[in-house]
Each structure stands twice: as structure tokens, then as C-alpha cells.
Amino acid sequence: MNEPINFHFKVDGSNFISAGEASVNVKKLLRQVGIAPDIIKRVSIAMYEGEINMVIHANGGTADVNVYPDKIQIILEDVGPGIPDIDQAMQEGFSTAQDNVRSLGFGAGMGLPNMKKYTDMMKIESEVGKGTKVTMEVNIP
Amino acid sequence: MTIRTIAELLNAKVLCLEDKIDFDVKSAFGSDMMSDVLAFVKEQSVLITGLANPQVIRTAEMMDMSCVVFVRGKQPTPEMISLAEENGIVLLASNERMYPACGKLYQNGLSGGSIATV
Ligand SMILES: Nc1ncnc2c1ncn2[C@@H]1O[C@H](COP(=O)(O)OP(=O)(O)OP(=O)(O)O)[C@@H](O)[C@H]1O
Ligand SMILES: [Mg+2]
């Protein structure tokens, strides 16, 4: 009964073309499970930002979405370069993205603050050289 | 304003979902940066952009937008068009540059809407 419904995805870091695919799928799956549209929108925006981050900053990783009766949890894990200063990374406008990423339409330093804005809980665990784990939750009222 | 009117004002080609162009839209957002679309769009249902990659379509889908207008003659790939079709997003392509395109739509009553604050 208390087992969440889990959706698991591998996020390919080698190919920008597919970046964001997992989030589009999650949006469809959450609709099928009957989650309210405003909750789906918040979950999918937050996950999409995180998924794009894994592709452009960390060479891909895994995404897990757990649907509980009272909340939706998103866990994004990568074995990328890690984030040296999380407080700095959380600031609007801070980005280490290069011109090639900007030419794809990303790298304004808005993603992490946006993920925080759209979720009720966000936790970043990161170790330089090891990787990053971002956990987010959106409560279901 | 209907999507049909947008297409007429911008002399744009309808690339998919022609059956949805009488759909009414109230406000729009113009940007080449998807980061900004994700951060600033609230209820705007039209995205005007000079960027053409699959993330444009996915970003519009994430923000529940119903129409993407490509300006400066940018052409989406067939894969992007079918992705938009699958997600119910009408695609238009115009040779106008960003500034005149937005200006024409604004002048004819398509507003900028409000900024997202959650
Ligand atoms: N998974 C990650 N692995 C390593 N570094 C990351 C990761 N996610 C974010 N960062 C670092 O944090 C910075 C800020 O991230 P944020 O998502 O806010 O902005 P951005 O991705 O650079 O641009 P935008 O999200 O606006 O497209 C990034 O530039 C990068 O240095
Ligand atoms: Mg980002």
C-alpha cells in the first residue's frame, strides 16, 4: 500500500538531441496516474531543468520519480564533476556553461533557482569529482 | 487572437496541426533562451523563438504552451515536427525577425501576460 509508484530513466549524456525526453515521458505518465495538472506542471518543469543540467554539466545519469499518495519525489543522480560551491550555484545568473551550451538555449543560471521555486523541498548533495544527487519533492494537497 | 491570425500577421507557414489553428491564445513570450522560457513563462501559450532544436518543443510542452512560432526563417527538423504533433503543439515558421514579429503581434492585441511567481 505504501510502496510508491516508481518511474526510472537513464539520461543519456552523450547526445543533447534527447535531453528532456525523460521529463516529457514523466509528464505523460503522471497524467495517466491521474495527478492534478498544476502538480504535474511543477514536477515536470523541475525535473526537466534537472535533467538538462545532468546532460550539459554532468554527462548524463539516472532519474527516478516516486509517486506517493501525498507527494511526488524526483531523484536525479549523476557521476559528473560535482558542484564545488552549492550556495553559489543556487544563485540566479550563476552558470559555468560555455558558449556551446548557450547556443543551444541554456546556460542562463536560472535552472537550480527555478527547481527550488517549483518544488516544496529540494536537497543537493554533491562531491567534486564524484557526482551530484538532487532530491526534490512536490506535495500533493 | 487565434493562431490563424498569428500566421496571417507573420506570413507564417503552418507546419503541423492545421486543425488546431482556430484555437484562441491570449499571451505570448519571445526568447531564444529556453532557460528564460522555463523561468519566466506563466500562462503564456505562444512561444516566439529563433532557436530550432528539440528542446524548444520539449520546453513548450513543459510550460503547457500550445503554439511555437519560429522566426528568422528557422526550420525545425521532421523529428521536431512530429514531436510537436505528438504533444499537441502547433508549429509556425516565419521569415520575420524577432522584433518586428513580436511588435506586430503585440500591436494587434496579443499581450505579454504576467511573469511567473510561484
Ligand atoms: N548535475 C550537475 N553537475 C555538475 N554541475 C552542476 C550540475 N547542475 C548544476 N551544476 C552547476 O551549477 C550551475 C548552475 O546551474 P543552473 O541550472 O542554475 O544554471 P545553468 O544550467 O548553468 O543554466 P540554465 O539552467 O539557466 O540553463 C551550473 O552552471 C553548473 O556549474
Ligand atoms: Mg540548468
Side-chain angles (χ1 to χ4, degrees):
Chain A
M1 269 307 270
N2 293 324
E3 281 292 292
I5 307 171
N6 170 268
F7 303 121
H8 177 81
F9 299 88
K10 279 203 169 58
V11 175
D12 183 359
S14 62
N15 145 21
F16 184 74
I17 292 287
S18 60
E21 235 170 30
S23 304
V24 172
N25 283 326
V26 162
K27 192 163 186 175
K28 290 202 178 85
L29 291 164
L30 292 179
R31 276 195 202 114
Q32 284 166 19
V33 206
I35 305 295
D38 57 321
I39 302 289
I40 296 182
K41 188 168 177 182
R42 290 171 57 200
V43 168
S44 41
I45 294 172
M47 177 175 171
Y48 184 67
E49 293 272 21
E51 185 184 352
I52 300 276
N53 276 355
M54 284 203 296
V55 176
I56 64 183
H57 305 298
N59 203 26
T62 59
D64 281 278
V65 177
N66 297 311
V67 183
Y68 294 89
D70 60 338
K71 69 180 180 203
I72 298 175
Q73 180 185 57
I74 308 151
I75 302 172
L76 304 166
E77 262 189 292
D78 66 61
V79 288
I83 304 175
D85 183 341
I86 293 173
D87 288 338
Q88 184 186 42
M90 284 301 300
Q91 283 169 24
E92 268 185 27
F94 177 83
S95 176
T96 57
Q98 304 297 306
D99 285 350
N100 62 329
V101 169
R102 293 227 166 77
S103 69
L104 296 167
F106 293 90
M110 300 299 284
L112 291 175
N114 212 26
M115 288 152 72
K116 190 166 174 65
K117 185 172 88 176
Y118 278 108
T119 55
D120 294 304
M121 190 286 285
M122 172 162 130
K123 183 172 78 179
I124 303 177
E125 296 155 275
S126 190
E127 210 178 312
V128 173
K130 290 242 168 84
T132 301
K133 178 178 177 183
V134 180
T135 307
M136 295 178 281
E137 287 177 7
V138 173
N139 297 333
I140 301 174
Chain B
M1 184 180 290
T2 61
I3 296 174
R4 182 190 296 277
T5 306
I6 297 179
E8 282 164 7
L9 287 168
L10 303 182
N11 195 12
K13 207 172 148 209
V14 183
L15 303 176
C16 68
L17 300 178
E18 191 127 21
D19 52 310
K20 283 184 72 180
I21 64 169
D22 288 309
F23 197 84
D24 208 39
V25 291
K26 294 204 164 44
S27 55
F29 189 86
S31 181
D32 288 353
M33 280 298 273
M34 294 306 111
S35 304
D36 287 338
V37 177
L38 289 159
F40 293 108
V41 164
K42 196 180 178 189
E43 80 293 333
Q44 292 84 348
S45 47
V46 180
L47 171 61
I48 303 148
T49 187
L51 183 75
N53 66 28
Q55 283 67 36
V56 173
I57 314 291
R58 294 195 185 107
T59 301
E61 163 63 5
M62 290 303 120
M63 305 317 285
D64 293 328
M65 299 175 101
S66 47
C67 174
V68 175
V69 183
F70 294 99
V71 292
R72 298 196 295 272
K74 293 290 181 311
Q75 287 295 332
T77 61
E79 288 75 24
M80 289 168 59
I81 297 176
S82 52
L83 185 60
E85 222 162 2
E86 259 169 55
N87 290 291
I89 301 168
V90 181
L91 298 185
L92 304 181
S94 165
N95 288 325
E96 293 275 10
R97 286 154 296 148
M98 177 67 95
Y99 182 72
C102 295
K104 282 179 187 173
L105 299 179
Y106 195 88
Q107 198 171 33
N108 283 278
L110 187 64
S111 86
S114 49
I115 288 179
T117 45
V118 169

